[in-house]
Amino acid sequence: MKLYVLLPFAMLVTLSTPTKAQSIRGKIGGLIRDTQNRALSGATVILQERQDSTTHQAGLSDADGKFAFKSLPKGDYLLRCSYVGFQPYKSGLLSITETQPVLQLPVIILQTSTPKTLSEVVVTAKKPLVEQKIDRLIVNVDAMLTAAGSNALDVLAKSPGVMVNTNDDISLNGKRNVLVLIDDRPTYMSAQDLAAYLRSLPGGLLDKLELISNPPARYDAAGGAIINIVLKKNRATGFNGSLNLGYNQGVYGRSNNSLLLNYRTKKFNIFTNSSYSRDRNFSEETYSRYFYSDAKSLQSTILQTSRSSYTSNGWNGRIGMDYFASPKITIGILFTGSTRPKSDRLDYTSNQYTELMQLDSVSRGYINGLYQSKNTGINVNLSHKFDNRGKLLTANIDYLNFQSSTNQFSPIDTYRPDGQLAGTQERFFAIPSTVRIYAGKVDFTQPLAGKSEFSAGLKSSYVMTDTESNWLNQTGDGPVPDYGKSNHFQYTESINAAYVNLKKEWSRWGIQTGLRLENTQSKGHQLANPTTVDSTFHRSYSWLFPSLYLSYKVDKRGDNTLALSYSKRIRRPGYQQLNPFLFFRDRYSYSGGNPNLIPGYGQAIDLRYTFKQYVGVTLSYSWDKDGIDPITRVVGDQFITRPQNFYQGQSLGIIPNISFSPTSWWTVNISAVLLAIRNRGQTDGVTIDQQSNLHEVETVNQFQLSKSWSAELTGFFPGNQFFAQTKSSSIYNISAGLQKTILQGQGTLRLTVNDIFYSLVMNSQTVALNHISAFYTRQGDTRRVGFSFMYRFGKEANARKRNTVGSAEEEKQRTN
């Protein structure tokens, strides 16, 4: 039996071994906030012994306002808190006993001493842009000035280690196939659909991003890494809310607006957010394709120029309620919905030349498209806290429904060199699609003696997809179906999973080990038509996914820490990647699916060093098998791209993140991803054996100009990229922002400029094509000036928080 299978059980035996009775080592911890529910970092906290009022321990609250006093003997204590500009706080009697060795205090709210100090409090309590955690990197979106008025995809692209390529694929620290969660719940979309959804999600709705390179066993095993997008929540007593309005102008105007509302009493909490975005963009593209003979002499050339533009309106809504049945039991329900109608127009001209570069033919065409996407979902959840030590049971049931439709009209006219019309072709495309997802999960956490914890969980999901791709050719008798290219594809998949996870902490060492088992059953069905026979395929497989996390505090305070982590992950094909449809792009470009895809898997090991919130450096090594990449084949003069289990890859990376303040008013954050990659693969006549060095550097400079004025200057510098058949040249992006707080800190005005030098011009080459050279350029509406306004209203006070993790952890990520 492999070693990793034994690790959780060995930990369990170790943790359950009887030990001698020890004297009580108690703990008192808590959280300090202001009346606006903001964390107070650096508050002075003093713990006194009641019997003689002498100071037993003293310390400061951390960046999240947290504090903790450990190794406390049995006895009675008093707690005092103080912070500049706030009234001091003194607790009642706090007792550490044998039956109650741990006290987790309610949130301590410090009252301002005078109203005039409010703006100072806002500046002092400001969260840093990036927080260094041992197991993840946290990006506080409100601290990113240039995120104002933009959308969630733009915010992601500006985050440390995150890259969004020309195909809208998202990677983290060089790891592709990233699983994107929203509030710990899956997004269930393909890369393209996910990108469209994130473009419709205003940046003003985002609270923070959690970037997790090596996720633990409680997460689904899918994806190379995890990005969790945490939306803003306000669960304070009474009625509260915030309004975000944003507009930015390039060649076209865009708008991103959101409204958050919350009403809380002792028995229930009702919360909702709604948003509207209007997205409009254009893309100017050129394709240059050169065809050579076996003797390497030029045979023909195709040069194409195109311009596309689209307009999309996105409405997103969430409404939910938590019912506090008792102080320890909460029952919740959440409804989600979104709709994104979109229209686009693509115009292109293709010139085909002979071997002597003489014009052979000219094709002119366009595509008019109308699209609709409607998503609805419901989540029912339960949380039962058994005691104050952390014994917890959570349960979730999810149902999601995705409806989309595509309707396109595409005429093409072909001309001879003398300008005479040689032929006309008109096509219609109608592609309706439905995805239904049912999922349920249960998670249980049990604290054990000696700073140990056991957790386990079960999850089951069932997915059904139904997609029709209808091609129709216009004839003199009207539209006629092209059954050779039309299809009707149905796919079902069930995944059943179970995991165990064990944690143990000592004064300096910490270990977490987990094992996840996932069983997958799937079936694909290609329905027959007059020219296509009925066919099916089945997949059934079970895999174990171990994870290990080991940490060490180099010093007693834990300012310097080392962490070693390992995980194994699976890369399942997207639902529609298995669909053998063919999608029309233009006369010379098509894309499609591949029913022969199998899951690939990857393994990664990271060694991370952190120093407080200032330095984080990760040394990463990963290897992948049966990785899925789009592979382009040439049939005649047409480029046809389909996903393939193509590459076996290895990468070695150094990922630093540094934050420092040269002066009291200037803060700098620098992050980078430096990778050495080796990818090899062979499929369908395409062979790749590439070694490349990739890098990406991001800088953020933040300036506190006064109590109410601040500014930001950001730089994004990705180098040359080389993955599979796509080789891209380096680009860069310089953006800036200016912020003014108004209305006694409750309002914020921001002015932003993105891509100041209009430098986001994509240049790429498609390689490993037999006797063909192909080049591509693209430029869009990236230089933009934006304005945004945010206003917070309502009374904020202490709030009990819940972190509801939906049961659908991964499936929505793979819809198409």
Side-chain angles (χ1 to χ4, degrees):
M1 183 179 289
K2 294 185 178 179
L3 178 60
Y4 63 70
V5 178
L6 297 175
L7 280 174
F9 304 103
M11 283 288 296
L12 183 59
V13 171
T14 301
L15 297 173
S16 60
T17 301
T19 57
K20 294 182 179 180
Q22 297 177 354
S23 60
I24 291 180
R25 290 301 177 186
K27 176 183 175 181
I28 297 177
L31 181 67
I32 302 176
R33 292 184 176 271
D34 65 8
T35 55
Q36 300 299 313
N37 206 25
R38 290 183 285 259
L40 292 181
S41 172
T44 300
V45 190
I46 298 174
L47 187 68
Q48 296 178 328
E49 296 183 9
R50 183 195 180 196
Q51 56 185 1
D52 55 9
S53 297
T54 59
T55 297
H56 185 82
Q57 290 187 35
L60 300 175
S61 59
D62 66 11
D64 296 323
K66 296 179 181 178
F67 67 89
F69 296 112
K70 303 178 182 179
S71 300
L72 301 176
K74 182 171 65 175
D76 297 329
Y77 299 91
L78 296 173
L79 186 77
R80 296 179 182 271
C81 301
S82 61
Y83 197 82
V84 176
F86 289 82
Q87 299 176 15
Y89 167 85
K90 180 180 178 181
S91 74
L93 183 65
L94 305 174
S95 298
I96 296 293
T97 65
E98 294 181 355
T99 58
Q100 187 174 272
V102 177
L103 293 179
Q104 185 63 32
L105 304 179
V107 177
I108 297 171
I109 303 296
L110 297 187
Q111 303 291 327
T112 55
S113 51
T114 62
K116 294 182 180 179
T117 61
L118 181 58
S119 16
E120 271 191 62
V121 173
V122 172
V123 173
T124 304
K126 179 183 176 182
K127 287 186 178 181
L129 173 63
V130 176
E131 295 183 58
Q132 309 267 2
K133 302 295 183 181
I134 296 177
D135 61 339
R136 67 193 64 190
L137 204 67
I138 295 178
V139 180
N140 293 304
V141 178
D142 270 348
M144 186 186 297
L145 267 62
T146 53
S150 64
N151 56 58
L153 189 65
D154 291 337
V155 174
L156 270 180
K158 293 178 179 179
S159 300
V162 179
M163 286 200 64
V164 182
N165 68 11
T166 56
N167 296 320
D168 291 327
D169 292 316
I170 299 171
S171 64
L172 173 62
N173 295 339
K175 297 177 180 178
R176 294 181 289 167
N177 303 299
V178 172
L179 176 62
V180 177
L181 307 176
I182 295 182
D183 285 337
D184 274 319
R185 301 177 69 242
T187 47
Y188 295 110
M189 300 177 189
S190 68
Q192 291 73 27
D193 287 342
L194 175 61
Y197 171 72
L198 293 177
R199 288 191 180 98
S200 74
L201 194 66
L205 282 178
L206 276 58
D207 179 28
K208 62 184 178 180
L209 307 176
E210 296 180 340
L211 312 180
I212 311 171
S213 185
N214 264 349
R218 81 175 184 90
Y219 289 101
D220 285 345
I226 286 179
I227 296 176
N228 184 30
I229 300 174
V230 180
L231 301 181
K232 288 181 178 176
K233 303 177 185 68
N234 188 339
R235 302 204 175 169
T237 301
F239 178 72
N240 305 275
S242 65
L243 174 68
N244 291 266
L245 302 175
Y247 178 83
N248 59 80
Q249 180 71 48
V251 175
Y252 300 126
R254 300 179 196 166
S255 180
N256 291 281
N257 312 282
S258 63
L259 176 66
L260 286 79
L261 299 174
N262 183 85
Y263 180 68
R264 181 186 180 92
T265 70
K266 292 182 178 180
K267 293 301 294 181
F268 64 86
N269 182 54
I270 299 176
F271 53 94
T272 179
N273 65 54
S274 57
S275 67
Y276 166 73
S277 67
R278 180 175 175 83
D279 186 19
R280 194 175 181 191
N281 205 340
F282 75 88
S283 178
E284 293 180 342
E285 302 169 324
T286 64
Y287 296 86
S288 303
R289 296 170 179 174
Y290 305 93
F291 299 80
Y292 296 90
S293 66
D294 292 340
K296 299 183 179 180
S297 61
L298 184 65
Q299 285 188 319
S300 64
T301 301
I302 296 175
L303 302 179
Q304 177 175 298
T305 59
S306 66
R307 190 183 194 278
S308 63
S309 62
Y310 71 83
T311 301
S312 175
N313 295 283
W315 287 269
N316 297 284
R318 298 160 61 90
I319 183 168
M321 184 180 76
D322 291 332
Y323 171 64
F324 310 129
S326 74
K328 295 182 179 180
I329 298 177
T330 303
I331 302 170
I333 187 168
L334 173 67
F335 298 92
T336 60
S338 67
T339 178
R340 299 189 305 278
K342 174 185 172 183
S343 62
D344 67 8
R345 166 88 180 208
L346 168 68
D347 293 274
Y348 62 91
T349 299
S350 300
N351 296 332
Q352 188 160 2
Y353 298 87
T354 66
E355 68 275 10
L356 300 177
M357 288 302 294
Q358 295 175 337
L359 186 63
D360 180 69
S361 65
V362 177
S363 296
R364 294 190 179 96
Y366 68 87
I367 300 176
N368 271 343
L370 294 174
Y371 314 85
Q372 179 60 269
S373 174
K374 295 180 179 179
N375 306 334
T376 56
I378 180 172
N379 166 263
V380 180
N381 56 81
L382 167 71
S383 173
H384 183 189
K385 185 184 296 184
F386 293 89
D387 53 38
N388 293 327
R389 297 181 61 240
K391 186 177 181 181
L392 178 68
L393 175 72
T394 61
N396 283 265
I397 299 176
D398 286 271
Y399 168 72
L400 299 107
N401 188 324
F402 297 80
Q403 301 282 344
S404 66
S405 64
T406 296
N407 293 280
Q408 295 176 322
F409 173 59
S410 176
I412 304 173
D413 295 326
T414 303
Y415 300 87
R416 299 186 180 93
D418 59 4
Q420 294 296 313
L421 183 64
T424 297
Q425 184 180 45
E426 293 183 351
R427 290 173 172 169
F428 298 89
F429 308 98
I431 309 174
S433 179
T434 300
V435 179
R436 292 186 176 90
I437 300 170
Y438 306 84
K441 65 177 295 188
V442 177
D443 295 280
F444 175 73
T445 301
Q446 171 67 66
L448 303 174
K451 296 184 179 180
S452 304
E453 182 183 276
F454 169 79
S455 59
L458 300 171
K459 179 190 172 182
S460 182
S461 66
Y462 182 71
V463 179
M464 298 183 296
T465 73
D466 191 328
T467 304
E468 293 184 60
S469 179
N470 301 304
W471 285 52
L472 301 99
N473 296 322
Q474 181 67 37
T475 67
D477 298 326
V480 176
D482 185 343
Y483 291 111
K485 296 185 176 68
S486 298
N487 91 347
H488 187 179
F489 181 74
Q490 296 175 339
Y491 178 76
T492 60
E493 178 185 82
S494 63
I495 300 176
N496 297 295
Y499 77 88
V500 293
N501 196 78
L502 293 162
K503 291 197 299 185
K504 167 71 175 175
E505 290 185 14
W506 295 271
S507 59
R508 291 198 178 186
W509 286 94
I511 187 170
Q512 175 175 279
T513 180
L515 187 64
R516 187 179 185 90
L517 170 65
E518 293 190 352
N519 170 263
T520 304
Q521 304 285 335
S522 62
K523 177 183 177 181
H525 184 193
Q526 172 77 33
L527 278 70
N529 65 35
T531 62
T532 303
V533 299
D534 190 272
S535 63
T536 62
F537 67 83
H538 298 263
R539 302 276 191 273
S540 177
Y541 51 90
S542 298
W543 277 355
L544 286 170
F545 301 94
S547 61
L548 175 66
Y549 179 81
L550 184 66
S551 64
Y552 175 68
K553 298 177 182 178
V554 179
D555 56 274
K556 291 183 179 180
R557 291 170 53 92
D559 294 337
N560 295 273
T561 59
L562 290 171
L564 181 70
S565 60
Y566 163 81
S567 68
K568 182 179 180 180
R569 313 284 295 169
I570 190 173
R571 276 80 155 155
R572 293 187 180 91
Y575 304 129
Q576 299 300 346
Q577 284 185 312
L578 296 164
N579 184 350
F581 70 96
L582 200 62
F583 182 79
F584 178 82
R585 161 69 182 180
D586 56 54
R587 178 184 172 183
Y588 299 106
S589 304
Y590 297 81
S591 62
N594 178 6
N596 298 316
L597 291 176
I598 62 173
Y601 69 87
Q603 301 179 76
I605 183 168
D606 292 349
L607 177 62
R608 180 172 176 81
Y609 165 77
T610 58
F611 172 66
K612 293 185 177 180
Q613 295 295 322
Y614 307 122
V615 178
V617 181
T618 300
L619 179 64
S620 176
Y621 177 69
S622 64
W623 57 103
D624 298 277
K625 182 179 180 181
D626 296 324
I628 299 173
D629 260 327
I631 298 299
T632 299
R633 294 175 58 248
V634 180
V635 179
D637 57 8
Q638 296 177 342
F639 281 40
I640 300 176
T641 303
R642 295 183 184 272
Q644 302 280 357
N645 288 107
F646 177 66
Y647 70 89
Q648 322 297 319
Q650 297 174 304
S651 70
L652 178 65
I654 300 177
I655 305 150
N657 190 286
I658 302 172
S659 298
F660 62 96
S661 297
T663 68
S664 60
W665 49 268
W666 178 17
T667 301
V668 181
N669 183 270
I670 302 174
S671 62
V673 179
L674 312 173
L675 297 175
I677 294 178
R678 175 74 181 275
N679 285 330
R680 290 175 291 179
Q682 182 174 359
T683 183
D684 212 7
V686 176
T687 300
I688 292 287
D689 189 351
Q690 64 187 32
Q691 290 181 300
S692 58
N693 297 318
L694 310 180
H695 73 270
E696 171 197 337
V697 179
E698 298 179 42
T699 63
V700 180
N701 295 269
Q702 296 185 312
F703 309 94
Q704 191 64 50
L705 307 178
S706 69
K707 293 180 181 179
S708 60
W709 285 94
S710 56
E712 182 177 281
L713 181 66
T714 66
F716 172 58
F717 309 93
N720 297 331
Q721 308 292 317
F722 195 0
F723 292 107
Q725 287 179 282
T726 302
K727 187 176 183 180
S728 303
S729 60
S730 61
I731 55 176
Y732 71 95
N733 178 10
I734 305 294
S735 301
L738 182 66
Q739 173 177 289
K740 166 70 174 176
T741 56
I742 58 175
L743 304 175
Q744 293 185 324
Q746 291 182 284
T748 303
L749 295 173
R750 288 179 178 177
L751 176 68
T752 59
V753 183
N754 189 65
D755 193 12
I756 296 173
F757 300 104
Y758 207 19
S759 54
L760 288 178
V761 180
M762 308 294 181
N763 293 279
S764 66
Q765 179 182 2
T766 304
V767 300
L769 298 173
N770 191 23
H771 304 312
I772 299 171
S773 295
F775 303 90
Y776 167 73
T777 65
R778 185 182 75 177
Q779 186 163 20
D781 195 10
T782 56
R783 182 162 59 188
R784 313 185 64 81
V785 177
F787 176 80
S788 71
F789 168 71
M790 179 180 70
Y791 178 68
R792 294 175 295 273
F793 54 88
K795 180 183 178 182
E796 298 185 356
N798 183 19
R800 182 174 79 178
K801 294 186 176 181
R802 288 181 69 220
N803 183 18
T804 300
V805 180
S807 58
E809 296 280 341
E810 179 259 334
E811 291 78 8
K812 188 163 65 175
Q813 180 74 9
R814 296 164 52 222
T815 63
N816 197 1

